[in-house]
Amino acid sequence: MRPPSYKAIVDELAAAIRSGMVPAGTRLPTHRDLARERRIALATATRVYAELAAMGLVAGEPGRGTFVRVLSGYDGLEPSRALPVPRVADLSFNQPLAQGQADQLRLALRTLSTSGEVESLLHQHPPGGRRHDRAVVATYLLGRGIDTAPANVLLASGSQQALDTVLRALTRPGDVLAVDALTYPGITLLASAHGLDLAPVPVTAASPDLDALDQLCRTRPVRAIYAIPTVHNPLGWVLDRDQRARLVAIARACDCVIVEDGTYAFLEAAPPPPLQVLAPERTCYVAGLSKNVAAGLRFGFAVVPDRHVGAVTRSMRVAAWGAPGLITALATGWIADGTVAQLEKARREDATARQDIARAALAGMDVTAHLTSYLVWLGLEPHQRPDHVAAVLAEEGILVSTADAFATGTYRPRALRLALGTPPLGELGSALHRLRDAIEAIPP
């Protein structure tokens, strides 16, 4: 009798998992046992589990095996927002707002409506923005230690679009993109969209493994390195000067581009110089105003080396041309009048207070966090599966992000990322205590 085909095994197991015949949390046979039971090659068994993992049905855990995931829809890259009970706290996404921001917006809109150039906001701005607006952002960037000409600043509809246009311009399908093994999920989406080959670099709680990055660049044709050196998402690290210099030296040795993400960099009051300062000839610095001003203000920018300005500008023309005139006027107005600087200072103070609350509520648990950030990386116990924990917390009215949303390779740690910025400050402590109680009540 002929053994079943590889696809038939995938379909059979998928149907059994979806129907509940194989319950969530079940440990599946090892790759070798599956190969023996199904009379298939070991490589084929590995492919079966890879297909099931890609379908979101199973998760492999190094040293423990392959397990059926809890299909609650509350884990992964885009968890369900509809909770089964009244919402207690959204710890999956940061949307911090300061008191009085709505009044600031009303005032800014009234000011714009009476300005002499309001009609110009109805016209199409050039790709990458007008020179005046780019100059405002260039001046703002001096506060981050970046001294660049307005011509090297390109404005976009948020930092994600800025990342998109940079990658679209500077890479080709099949190019290798070096990334941290745990990093911002948006880069994984962009790599998939552009057909890039992600090469995960192992990480610790304090930094990427730069020896591993060096070895990767020596053995593979790495086109670009994506890095978050200041207030890393999700691990919160800030690389020191020596680590930054080493990363730049590696990039120069392999002649690859550095894409530096500065989204959360404003939360570190006195960081070392950005990678862009150390290697301006090969670094594209990307950031925006979503985290320091408001998530709904889709305004971002990229600082691009001279030789790449033309290509990135053309890429912006292909994507969405750039930031809308009205949003640009609001953003640059708030930069110029000091509102952004004021809000950034308030965010740092607010984030510090929230971290104090988190440390108290989660004392004794496995917590990794920057002291003035909105992020907490919470390690779980060996018997606590992130997908199951996310489902349990959803039943408590709490949304979280699981580690697999941030993983760029096969490494899937038992952890959650908690975003502290959205709940009202007075409610954060009780929400975290409720989260802790729910997690600790999960039986071994």
Side-chain angles (χ1 to χ4, degrees), residues 122-163:
L122 299 175
H123 294 290
Q124 177 67 62
H125 291 188
R130 299 178 300 181
R131 181 175 179 83
H132 166 74
D133 297 322
R134 293 155 76 170
V136 171
V137 174
T139 301
Y140 162 75
L141 286 167
L142 290 172
R144 298 197 182 189
I146 296 174
D147 187 357
T148 187
N152 295 93
V153 177
L154 300 175
L155 309 184
S157 294
S159 58
Q160 182 74 1
Q161 192 207 13
L163 280 172

Side-chain angles (χ1 to χ4, degrees), residues 58-151:
V58 305
E61 300 180 15
R64 298 190 73 244
T66 302
F67 293 80
V68 176
R69 292 180 61 175
V70 176
L71 302 180
S72 65
Y74 291 107
D75 65 327
L77 186 56
E78 296 182 7
S80 172
R81 315 302 296 176
L83 288 165
V85 297
R87 180 167 299 187
V88 171
D90 185 351
L91 301 176
S92 68
F93 189 65
N94 274 319
Q95 297 196 69
L97 287 176
Q99 187 174 6
Q101 275 196 257
D103 291 334
Q104 287 178 321
L105 178 59
R106 291 187 188 95
L107 176 60
L109 290 173
R110 282 198 297 268
T111 302
L112 278 177
S113 70
T114 59
S115 70
E117 67 162 22
V118 65
E119 187 175 338
S120 71
L121 303 181
L122 299 175
H123 294 290
Q124 177 67 62
H125 291 188
R130 299 178 300 181
R131 181 175 179 83
H132 166 74
D133 297 322
R134 293 155 76 170
V136 171
V137 174
T139 301
Y140 162 75
L141 286 167
L142 290 172
R144 298 197 182 189
I146 296 174
D147 187 357
T148 187

Side-chain angles (χ1 to χ4, degrees), residues 182 377 386 401-407 411-417:
L182 295 170
W377 188 252
S401 298
T402 53
D404 60 322
F406 302 87
Y411 175 55
R412 297 287 194 276
R414 291 176 177 277
L416 307 176
R417 193 207 69 170

Side-chain angles (χ1 to χ4, degrees), residues 196-407:
L196 303 180
D197 183 3
L198 282 183
V201 176
V203 297
T204 69
S207 71
D209 184 337
L210 294 178
D211 288 337
L213 175 62
D214 188 23
Q215 181 65 18
L216 171 66
C217 290
R218 291 176 186 275
T219 55
R220 297 191 64 188
V222 174
R223 169 58 181 155
I225 300 170
Y226 172 73
I228 313 176
T230 307
V231 189
H232 184 271
N233 180 10
L235 298 174
W237 69 51
V238 176
L239 300 187
D240 63 28
R241 289 174 180 266
D242 290 343
Q243 290 169 321
R244 292 169 193 242
R246 175 91 189 280
L247 193 155
V248 164
I250 293 169
R252 284 183 170 140
C254 71
D255 191 26
C256 63
V257 175
I258 299 171
V259 180
E260 180 177 8
D261 189 333
T263 298
Y264 281 107
F266 72 94
L267 288 169
E268 173 59 51
L275 302 176
Q276 192 278 339
V277 173
L278 302 180
E281 82 287 354
R282 67 180 61 250
T283 303
C284 294
Y285 183 92
V286 172
L289 299 187
S290 292
K291 304 305 181 185
N292 44 356
V293 179
L297 188 67
R298 301 306 304 162
F299 181 81
F301 45 85
V303 179
V304 181
D306 290 338
R307 60 182 174 141
H308 297 314
V309 168
V312 177
T313 302
R314 289 190 293 274
S315 176
M316 285 193 165
R317 189 178 286 116
V318 169
W321 209 268
L326 179 58
I327 296 297
T328 298
L330 278 171
T332 55
W334 274 340
I335 290 172
D337 71 10
T339 298
V340 171
Q342 169 199 336
L343 287 172
E344 288 181 343
K345 181 175 182 295
R347 291 282 190 273
R348 286 191 289 272
E349 294 170 354
D350 181 58
T352 300
R354 290 171 185 268
Q355 285 290 343
D356 289 343
I357 292 170
R359 282 198 303 277
L362 306 175
M365 301 183 80
D366 181 10
V367 168
T368 300
H370 185 276
L371 293 179
T372 59
S373 87
Y374 285 109
L375 306 175
V376 166
W377 188 252
L378 181 64
L380 301 174
E381 297 296 329
H383 68 279
Q384 296 168 340
R385 296 180 45 77
D387 53 333
H388 179 229
V389 173
V392 168
L393 292 174
E395 294 289 341
E396 294 291 324
I398 301 172
L399 280 170
V400 296
S401 298
T402 53
D404 60 322
F406 302 87

